[in-house]
Amino acid sequence: MQVWKKAILGAVACLGSLGALADYRFSFPTPVTPIAHETLHVHNLFMVIALTLFFGVLALMLYSFWRHRKSAGHKAADFTGPKSRKQWFWVLVPFVGLLVLDYGVFGIPAYHAVLMYEDTKTDADLVVKVTGSQWLWQYEFPAEGVKFSSRLTTPREQIDNLQTKGENYLLEVDNPLVLPVGKKIRFITTSNDVIHSWWVPAFGVKRDAVPGFLREFWATIDKPGTYRGQCSELCGKEHGFMPVVVNVVTPEEFAQWLADKKAQQASTGAAAVVAKAAP
């Protein structure tokens, strides 16, 4: 009886600590979007339930082995013939329990997370189109008329082990994507050639960029800062050289950056026209 009491108290203690574990990150990066927070919450919930079940079943098995050992005079049961009610009970109860866990305890939080992830159009403040190419990213703000590419800037000498590797080795670019903090941003992904995948771990989002298709996701970033990621779909020999760098700034700083980008594009376009017209 004491064994059962300890097992039940242990399970209650584990479930009661869910709130404290809500911010425990394991190997997750610090979440900075609602989707990332929800993903971490669902992960921790599932881990606690799974570990509780694991240790509960393990304790029951060890107790059964000890309680029904041969040295105590127990003999192996004979299960030939029609199944008894007790046998049906021990078959059906775990089956029903797994159904309840899968569709109730696990299914409802997972379903809520998926619905949140797919809600791309509700109250979006900004649209960013992300296009993957071998092997760089192209970013476009369609409504603002701004478009630019973002390439790896890690020196080849570091890649070839001829120099000491920098702090952000293979995670540095010439033109990072700049986004405003606290705004809901709708991302649209596609590709010019093969399948790529735009991934920033701290955002909790990853979406394949598929040629000929427009795919969507969204993010509202809670904290200013620089966030880094990579292409996570094997896309060719330079797959490991497609970093994603996002600078998240205040809305005022973003407006200034956008104005500067527009002026830079206008001057570049005017220079190109003049060069083309020159004899």
Side-chain angles (χ1 to χ4, degrees):
M1 193 65 181
Q2 292 297 324
V3 174
W4 282 105
K5 284 184 178 179
K6 290 180 179 179
I8 293 171
L9 289 174
V12 171
C14 286
L15 292 174
S17 63
L18 276 176
L21 284 172
D23 292 327
Y24 194 72
R25 296 187 291 110
F26 295 92
S27 59
F28 282 65
T30 302
V32 294
T33 68
I35 293 173
H37 284 286
E38 184 71 13
T39 302
L40 181 59
H41 166 71
V42 171
H43 170 271
N44 290 349
L45 173 66
F46 287 8
M47 284 293 293
V48 169
I49 294 173
L51 288 173
T52 301
L53 288 174
F54 172 79
F55 287 113
V57 172
L58 179 63
L60 180 62
M61 289 176 61
L62 293 176
Y63 171 76
S64 298
F65 297 157
W66 175 81
R67 180 69 177 80
H68 302 94
R69 65 194 185 279
K70 183 178 179 181
S71 61
H74 285 272
K75 296 182 180 180
D78 183 3
F79 289 105
T80 59
K83 287 184 170 54
S84 65
R85 291 181 179 179
K86 185 182 292 186
Q87 287 173 281
W88 279 112
F89 174 82
W90 285 112
V91 168
L92 292 178
V93 167
F95 175 73
V96 173
L98 286 175
L99 284 180
V100 172
L101 276 175
D102 286 343
Y103 292 99
V105 178
F106 290 162
I108 293 174
Y111 180 69
H112 177 264
V114 170
L115 284 183
M116 175 187 288
Y117 189 85
E118 297 296 336
D119 184 20
T120 60
K121 296 181 176 66
T122 304
D123 300 325
D125 299 300
L126 189 67
V127 176
V128 178
K129 183 180 179 183
V130 181
T131 304
S133 298
Q134 292 177 311
W135 286 272
L136 58 90
W137 296 103
Q138 295 174 335
Y139 298 112
E140 182 179 358
F141 295 82
E144 291 75 15
V146 170
K147 184 177 182 179
F148 61 96
S149 61
S150 181
R151 301 171 182 267
L152 175 74
T153 57
T154 296
R156 194 74 212 183
E157 290 76 14
Q158 291 186 19
I159 297 172
D160 295 336
N161 295 319
L162 300 176
Q163 289 183 0
T164 303
K165 292 175 171 50
E167 179 183 358
N168 296 310
Y169 175 69
L170 296 184
L171 293 174
E172 47 203 347
V173 298
D174 53 359
N175 290 312
L177 177 63
V178 178
L179 297 174
V181 69
K183 302 292 184 181
K184 182 172 181 177
I185 301 156
R186 178 188 174 204
F187 292 88
I188 301 173
T189 64
T190 189
S191 171
N192 287 327
D193 34 54
V194 299
I195 298 177
H196 302 277
S197 189
W198 198 87
W199 177 47
V200 178
F203 293 175
V205 293
K206 178 169 65 172
R207 183 68 88 185
D208 282 355
V210 183
F213 290 86
L214 296 177
R215 312 191 71 217
E216 300 175 318
F217 64 93
W218 68 275
T220 300
I221 306 154
D222 302 332
K223 294 166 53 179
T226 299
Y227 302 98
R228 303 177 190 272
Q230 293 174 302
C231 175
S232 60
E233 184 70 45
L234 187 60
C235 57
K237 70 181 184 68
E238 301 289 323
H239 160 67
F241 307 132
M242 284 186 66
V244 176
V245 180
V246 182
N247 289 338
V248 180
V249 298
T250 64
E252 295 76 19
E253 291 173 318
F254 173 73
Q256 183 59 53
W257 173 85
L258 207 57
D260 293 342
K261 272 291 181 185
K262 287 182 181 180
Q264 179 185 348
Q265 283 190 182
S267 62
T268 303
V273 170
V274 170
K276 187 175 181 181

